[in-house]
Amino acid sequence: MRKIYQKKNVFEASLERLDLVYSRFTKVYTTFSGGKDSGVMLHLAIEAARKHNKLPVNVLIVDLEAQYSHTIDYITRMVSRPEVNAYWVCLPIHLRNAVSQYQPHWVCWDQDKQDAWVRSYPDHPSVIKDPDYFSFFRKGMEFEEFVIEFGTWFSEGKDTACLVGIRTDESYNRFRTIGNFDKKRYKRKQWSTCIAPDLYNFYPIYDWKTRDIWIANGRYKFDYNKIYDLMYLAGVPLSQMRLCQPYGDDQRKGLYLYKILEPETWNKVVNRVEGANFGNRYSENSRTIFGNFKMTLPENHTYKSYSYFLLSTMPPYLREHYLSKINKFLEYWKTHGYKEGIPEVADSRMESMRKAPSWRRICRVLLKNDYWCKGLSFAQTKREMEKQLNIFLKIPHYTTYVNQDH
């Protein structure tokens, strides 16, 4: 998708997009995480709603429990404004834990683990902590599933717009969200996506750069999350400042920051989820974790033998999961030119592009704790999410795994 530059600036363009949304949709809400992008998005939405006489702004906040206290302070300030009507959701939602092989997922706000929570429920009237509040909710719903179900619930069958503060400059996946021409859009607007009948996501600040966020905060005196000030003092580049649940596949790279920025929060983060301190030990020194480095093969091992050794150290259900993916990977390449088996290594550039098979690719997936095996060209599926949730919630001996320090 080729970029086309216009004479107007991104701030003016975003206000025009919001004018379109508020003038054409019966119901509008915005998502808010407490981060820099969603913060600016909320400020812009308030101004647009005021112009169209549609205040207060409806705001969805999915609180993932393991948050900086500065983030909660910022969210509290914003939802306490009279221009905001918030749905501050604190419910047991199923999340990825990429810092442990023994507990590859966790459930935030799990009543069964309340003694280990990172923090207590927020003290605000907009907080939703009763699982029966939403008729569609069930314990352990996946985050992505919840936000779609919420949108459908909120719409009440009317045309509904959800404002999402994502920027293509932030990641390649977000660029693909905008650049995808196969998706169903609203009136051919590339910055929109149909996610359910009568429900559209809109991305009004998709073309903003990181510097635009901070220019807007400074020029218009927008309130923002003060954790970014601490990140700046800690030497984190503006482009690398992220606010997400700390145990995810991408977010774990910033896990070490909890210890630096909020030591009191860090102690609780370590105790809350299996493997957090293990992940910290890797991310603190090299700012990388689980295989995002040049691998050193142990003595007397090939990549193939080392892969099987790593598999042998895993709990049975996890070993079965990886073996299933690896076998499918091997079968695919057997019918695509590798009848005698895949090589130990291939051209590193082709491996990184996922165009050449090798045992080194398999080994890297295992070392990175790449649960969905994205390094082998697989993707997350709803069926496997359900399977993992059943393991987490139902298998009696599961707790014997999570008590191990891995």
Side-chain angles (χ1 to χ4, degrees):
M1 181 181 178
R2 183 171 61 91
K3 295 181 179 180
I4 301 176
Y5 292 91
Q6 302 182 23
K7 293 183 179 180
K8 69 187 73 172
N9 62 41
V10 292
F11 187 84
E12 295 168 345
S14 296
L15 292 179
E16 288 181 8
R17 294 164 192 153
L18 287 168
D19 277 340
L20 181 147
V21 171
Y22 273 99
S23 63
R24 297 190 184 183
F25 282 83
T26 305
K27 307 194 74 174
V28 181
Y29 70 98
T30 184
T31 58
F32 179 50
S33 67
K36 62 184 184 301
D37 299 338
S38 66
V40 165
M41 182 71 263
L42 178 52
H43 283 291
L44 295 179
I46 290 173
E47 295 309 311
R50 179 179 288 116
K51 177 180 177 181
H52 289 267
N53 196 29
K54 290 188 175 181
L55 287 173
V57 173
N58 294 297
V59 178
L60 170 63
I61 303 160
V62 183
D63 191 328
L64 304 180
E65 184 200 323
Q67 307 263 32
Y68 289 109
S69 60
H70 277 291
T71 300
I72 304 308
D73 292 343
Y74 176 47
I75 292 175
T76 302
R77 294 197 303 271
M78 293 302 292
V79 302
S80 297
R81 294 180 55 165
E83 303 97 331
V84 171
N85 174 48
Y87 298 86
W88 192 339
V89 178
C90 297
L91 294 175
I93 290 175
H94 193 212
L95 301 168
R96 173 78 168 113
N97 175 23
V99 295
S100 172
Q101 288 186 334
Y102 289 89
Q103 186 186 352
H105 292 85
W106 70 294
V107 174
C108 63
W109 302 116
D110 186 354
Q111 288 286 348
D112 296 334
K113 302 285 178 27
Q114 189 167 359
D115 290 343
W117 284 1
V118 174
R119 41 180 259 273
S120 301
Y121 287 124
D123 183 16
H124 194 272
S126 64
V127 171
I128 299 170
K129 55 187 177 182
D130 181 1
D132 295 328
Y133 185 92
F134 300 109
S135 58
F136 62 81
F137 184 79
R138 71 183 189 284
K139 180 179 180 179
M141 283 187 76
E142 188 184 356
F143 175 86
E144 289 76 8
E145 182 184 5
F146 176 84
V147 294
I148 295 176
E149 290 289 346
F150 173 87
T152 302
W153 172 86
F154 177 84
S155 70
E156 298 179 322
K158 301 175 183 177
D159 290 342
T160 300
C162 172
L163 305 175
V164 184
I166 66 170
R167 299 179 296 108
T168 57
D169 190 46
E170 194 85 348
S171 71
Y172 180 62
N173 283 337
R174 294 185 175 188
F175 180 85
R176 290 175 60 194
T177 298
I178 304 299
N180 182 0
F181 283 89
D182 295 327
K183 66 181 180 178
K184 183 179 179 181
R185 295 163 284 165
Y186 177 78
K187 304 292 185 182
R188 301 185 67 184
K189 300 296 182 182
Q190 196 62 32
W191 46 281
S192 68
T193 302
C194 179
I195 61 173
D198 304 317
L199 176 62
Y200 288 86
N201 276 355
F202 288 90
Y203 317 103
I205 64 169
Y206 75 90
D207 48 359
W208 287 43
K209 301 292 186 182
T210 302
R211 65 188 301 271
D212 296 322
I213 296 293
W214 295 111
I215 289 172
N217 284 335
R219 182 173 297 173
Y220 302 104
K221 309 301 181 185
F222 290 160
D223 191 4
Y224 66 93
N225 189 339
K226 299 306 186 285
I227 196 66
Y228 290 111
D229 294 340
L230 298 182
M231 288 185 179
Y232 181 78
L233 292 174
V236 181
L238 293 179
S239 61
Q240 297 301 313
M241 294 180 181
R242 298 284 190 277
L243 281 190
C244 299
Q245 71 99 354
Y247 317 111
D249 289 282
D250 297 322
Q251 298 82 6
R252 60 187 175 179
K253 291 183 291 185
L255 185 59
Y256 74 98
L257 285 172
Y258 275 81
K259 184 167 64 173
I260 297 173
L261 306 182
E262 290 189 0
E264 66 284 357
T265 303
W266 165 248
N267 289 332
K268 297 176 181 178
V269 166
V270 170
N271 291 326
R272 178 65 175 93
V273 170
E274 171 72 19
N277 197 39
F278 173 65
N280 161 67
R281 289 199 295 268
Y282 278 83
S283 62
E284 182 179 25
N285 297 325
S286 60
R287 302 298 186 265
T288 185
I289 190 168
F290 288 113
N292 292 331
F293 47 79
K294 183 177 180 180
M295 286 189 295
T296 301
L297 200 60
E299 189 176 354
N300 299 323
H301 266 297
T302 64
Y303 283 109
K304 182 176 180 179
S305 67
Y306 191 39
S307 295
Y308 280 108
F309 169 77
L310 292 172
L311 288 167
S312 70
T313 67
M314 297 179 183
Y317 78 93
L318 195 60
R319 180 166 61 248
E320 179 184 345
H321 165 79
Y322 279 114
L323 278 173
S324 174
K325 296 291 186 182
I326 292 171
N327 288 336
K328 290 178 181 178
F329 178 78
L330 296 175
E331 283 298 317
Y332 172 85
W333 285 106
K334 186 175 182 179
T335 60
H336 287 76
Y338 293 85
K339 293 183 178 180
E340 304 303 320
I342 64 173
E344 275 285 295
V345 299
D347 179 80
S348 58
R349 188 175 65 89
M350 296 296 287
E351 283 186 12
S352 64
M353 295 171 63
R354 302 177 186 176
K355 292 184 177 181
S358 71
W359 280 101
R360 181 166 60 183
R361 274 182 69 185
I362 293 174
C363 195
R364 187 177 293 274
V365 162
L366 299 175
L367 285 173
K368 287 178 66 176
N369 194 24
D370 179 3
Y371 183 81
W372 301 115
C373 297
K374 294 179 181 178
L376 301 183
S377 302
F378 290 97
Q380 175 180 331
T381 65
K382 184 175 181 179
R383 179 180 178 183
E384 295 220 5
M385 281 298 299
E386 292 291 341
K387 181 179 178 181
Q388 178 55 228
L389 180 59
N390 288 335
I391 291 173
F392 184 83
L393 296 178
K394 296 179 180 179
I395 292 185
H397 63 269
Y398 184 74
T399 53
T400 64
Y401 298 142
V402 302
N403 287 332
Q404 300 180 52
D405 183 16
H406 182 73

